[in-house]
Amino acid sequence: MSCSSSSGSEEEEEEEFESYRKGGYHAVRVGDSFNGGRYIAQRKLGWGQFSTVWLAYDIQTSGFVALKIQKSAPQFAQAALHEIEVLSAIADGDSSNSKCVVQLIDHFKHMGPNGQHLCMVLECLGDSLLRLIRYNHHKGLDFNKVREICKCILIGLDYLHRELNILHTDLKPENILLVSPIDPSKDPIRSKLTPILERPEGINLNGGITMNFIEKKLKRRAKRVVARISERRASMGQNPKPQRSLDGINMRCKVVDFGSACWADQQFMEEIQTRQYRAPEVILRSGYSASADMWSFACTAFELATGDMLFAPKGGQGFSEDEDHLALMQELLGKMPKKIANGGVRSKDYFDRYGDLKRIRRLKYWSLDRLLVEKYNFPETEAREFASFLCPILDFAPEKRPTAQQCLQHSWLKPVFTMHDNSNKDKLSVGMKNLQI
Ligand code: ADP
Ligand code: MG
């Protein structure tokens, strides 16, 4: 679900314990059963502002699924009903499950001590791209991997936009999941996980959960201390972060989290998208459409290739986060045309009548391909090609941005093989077959 700022801080790895209260999350223990005994909780997969998500075993199909358990307060239940409606439309139009969007399998209500929770049963996927970026120590993935991921996201967006008329409105690395976990031992299928069918003995009700939290908190604190020490060592030239191999990680992925999605002709929110992935027309309130998802896609693609967010605005003395964001966009993409700058309900808050920012006067222009070469050390030609893929999607004029379908035709997405790249060639062509391109 969308939150106005990214929940991407490295330390914030657990949901708030305080949110396990009336109207909030449902506390789950390993072995708990749901929907009349059909699904049995195995372990927690993740969480969001609205829900916790558990790996569950489906007795009926003898398979593993992801069980998304929504907070129970009315506004969360309302959002879940809407999400179920969108997910049902998505599943109805994708019977072959090939459109790179998560599949809804089932949904039901679950009554617990904190209230009634709507639950969604989803196909089980792996880690998010945010986790992949962190796993790779923000070093940037090689281009063939970025290409493969981009193709999946674009197939998903093309399906949503063109076939269903649905806008995701919160596309970001956190909401795109690899089809299988980074760590093969976490993959219930590959690791041949034996399902837990009943609650392990010796866990008392709330005590178990509280202990679990305290234990995790202590572990997290210890981890932070170790991380700080090794960071200091790294900055002193000792213990640099090891280069992690990404070989063997399947880069196929799917778009998830339709908690804030909407039908293009039934928009109900003025402010959409997580800050860093927010399109200029959303900041300016000039109206948005599918092209706003495309903007977030371009921000995500840049982040995959470099390990850094494309725009990370901050408020400062005398200017707001929005103004900084608009300044950063112009520094990278050139001056915003006056008509666009002045075309939104909020324009007057930021721009003068000449289309110049009121409070940030001096901009330092730095084009995307120069940035890729000078800051990220990309070879000139690769930087130019990647920039030629991204820049049109980052057009200030939403109607000029290419659609997902058009992006899929771009030459940058065609795999390039060098003499030394044969090992990848096989993997990629297998990947492509699976994608049915
Ligand atoms: P919210 O609406 O609360 O943000 P999300 O749908 O984004 O919920 O799910 C929260 C987290 O749960 C995700 O970031 C991911 O880590 C995990 N998750 C969600 N869906 C799945 C799935 N189908 N398979 C595996 N993990 C999932
Ligand atoms: Mg989410």
Side-chain angles (χ1 to χ4, degrees):
M1 194 29 155
S2 155
C3 42
S4 49
S5 70
S6 174
S7 60
S9 106
E10 308 265 336
E11 292 189 358
E12 192 197 330
E13 295 288 4
E14 295 294 331
E15 71 279 23
E16 277 174 19
F17 179 56
E18 293 72 29
S19 296
Y20 284 90
R21 57 175 153 73
K22 288 242 173 315
Y25 295 125
H26 173 64
V28 178
R29 288 144 302 162
V30 172
D32 278 358
S33 73
F34 292 83
N35 203 17
R38 174 167 173 187
Y39 304 106
I40 299 175
Q42 307 289 305
R43 66 177 142 83
K44 195 167 72 193
L45 290 170
W47 60 278
Q49 301 300 316
F50 283 48
S51 65
T52 55
V53 179
W54 281 72
L55 176 71
Y57 183 69
D58 181 349
I59 301 271
Q60 212 162 302
T61 63
S62 310
F64 291 96
V65 293
L67 182 59
K68 176 166 172 168
I69 309 164
Q70 193 84 343
K71 286 179 177 174
S72 63
Q75 70 270 29
F76 301 120
Q78 191 66 40
L81 279 177
H82 174 73
E83 188 169 0
I84 290 168
E85 197 186 317
V86 172
L87 284 168
S88 304
I90 288 171
D92 286 348
D94 180 20
S95 49
S96 59
N97 194 3
S98 62
K99 305 286 172 99
C100 301
V101 180
V102 69
Q103 286 257 324
L104 180 72
I105 298 168
D106 188 12
H107 59 92
F108 58 89
K109 289 174 186 148
H110 182 84
M111 196 62 202
N114 293 337
Q116 191 181 61
H117 304 262
L118 276 159
C119 299
M120 288 162 246
V121 182
L122 302 156
E123 66 176 316
C124 188
L125 299 167
D127 291 292
S128 73
L129 296 186
L130 178 63
R131 286 207 194 128
L132 180 69
I133 290 166
R134 288 178 179 170
Y135 176 83
N136 197 35
H137 300 311
H138 296 267
K139 287 202 202 304
L141 310 178
D142 72 57
F143 268 143
N144 276 340
K145 294 194 169 61
V146 180
R147 269 190 197 100
E148 213 177 332
I149 294 173
C150 283
K151 263 182 219 163
C152 294
I153 306 173
L154 288 170
I155 290 171
L157 288 180
D158 178 40
Y159 172 55
L160 294 171
H161 294 166
R162 205 162 46 87
E163 292 190 42
L164 301 176
N165 208 21
I166 286 173
L167 316 184
H168 185 282
T169 81
D170 195 22
L171 196 75
K172 55 178 173 178
E174 204 179 333
N175 284 338
I176 302 158
L177 303 189
L178 294 170
V179 291
S180 23
I182 295 170
D183 176 356
S185 73
K186 294 259 170 69
D187 187 327
I189 313 279
R190 276 188 288 172
S191 70
K192 300 200 173 70
L193 183 69
T194 314
I196 298 161
L197 297 177
E198 51 194 41
R199 195 175 304 148
E201 274 176 40
I203 297 184
N204 68 349
L205 245 150
N206 272 323
I209 288 163
T210 317
M211 272 314 292
N212 206 357
F213 261 95
I214 294 169
E215 229 170 68
K216 277 190 177 158
K217 218 169 200 171
L218 288 174
K219 271 192 196 156
R220 250 193 343 264
R221 206 172 286 166
K223 239 179 163 175
R224 249 177 263 158
V225 172
V226 173
R228 244 175 255 145
I229 293 171
S230 68
E231 228 159 65
R232 263 183 35 209
R233 285 201 184 140
S235 70
M236 289 170 8
Q238 308 163 344
N239 275 2
K241 280 190 175 154
Q243 186 82 44
R244 275 177 163 158
S245 165
L246 302 182
D247 287 351
I249 301 175
N250 186 349
M251 291 294 151
R252 276 180 58 217
C253 53
K254 291 193 166 205
V255 179
V256 306
D257 193 355
F258 288 82
S260 44
C262 66
W263 271 273
D265 52 3
Q266 292 173 31
Q267 300 178 1
F268 51 89
M269 302 238 286
E270 280 200 337
E271 185 171 270
I272 54 163
Q273 304 176 317
T274 296
R275 161 59 69 188
Q276 293 84 352
Y277 308 89
R278 189 172 293 153
E281 64 271 23
V282 176
I283 300 177
L284 293 173
R285 300 279 195 276
S286 343
Y288 58 83
S289 67
S291 52
D293 279 344
M294 297 308 294
W295 182 281
S296 309
F297 162 75
C299 297
T300 303
F302 177 91
E303 196 169 331
L304 291 167
T306 63
D308 283 343
M309 285 173 175
L310 179 58
F311 301 117
K314 287 194 185 72
Q317 257 190 350
F319 59 89
S320 67
E321 209 177 1
D322 277 337
E323 287 165 305
D324 191 37
H325 203 166
L326 293 165
L328 291 173
M329 289 173 178
Q330 295 186 78
E331 288 185 327
L332 193 72
L333 307 165
K335 196 165 167 358
M336 192 181 288
K338 200 169 93 183
K339 225 173 144 189
I340 296 177
N342 288 337
V345 174
R346 286 274 172 85
S347 291
K348 285 204 170 60
D349 297 344
Y350 312 122
F351 290 104
D352 64 20
R353 62 193 158 111
Y354 307 104
D356 294 316
L357 280 172
K358 283 179 178 170
R359 281 168 290 265
I360 304 178
R361 305 298 297 188
R362 218 173 303 156
L363 301 180
K364 292 180 231 115
Y365 294 102
W366 204 11
S367 72
L368 183 57
D369 61 340
R370 294 324 307 157
L371 179 76
L372 292 170
V373 172
E374 286 158 26
K375 182 166 175 194
Y376 295 102
N377 299 320
F378 284 41
E380 292 265 355
T381 28
E382 296 204 13
R384 216 174 305 128
E385 282 166 13
F386 188 43
S388 84
F389 175 67
L390 290 187
C391 282
I393 316 174
L394 295 167
D395 202 305
F396 286 126
E399 70 283 358
K400 289 200 187 139
R401 287 175 211 150
T403 61
Q405 187 183 28
Q406 288 165 336
C407 285
L408 280 165
Q409 303 304 319
H410 194 282
S411 59
W412 182 77
L413 282 177
K414 308 262 170 338
V416 204
F417 299 112
T418 63
M419 293 286 282
H420 318 285
D421 223 6
N422 276 338
S423 59
N424 267 340
K425 190 172 174 177
D426 288 344
K427 270 182 242 155
L428 215 86
S429 59
V430 170
M432 304 260 286
K433 233 183 281 150
N434 291 342
L435 286 174
Q436 303 181 329
I437 300 172

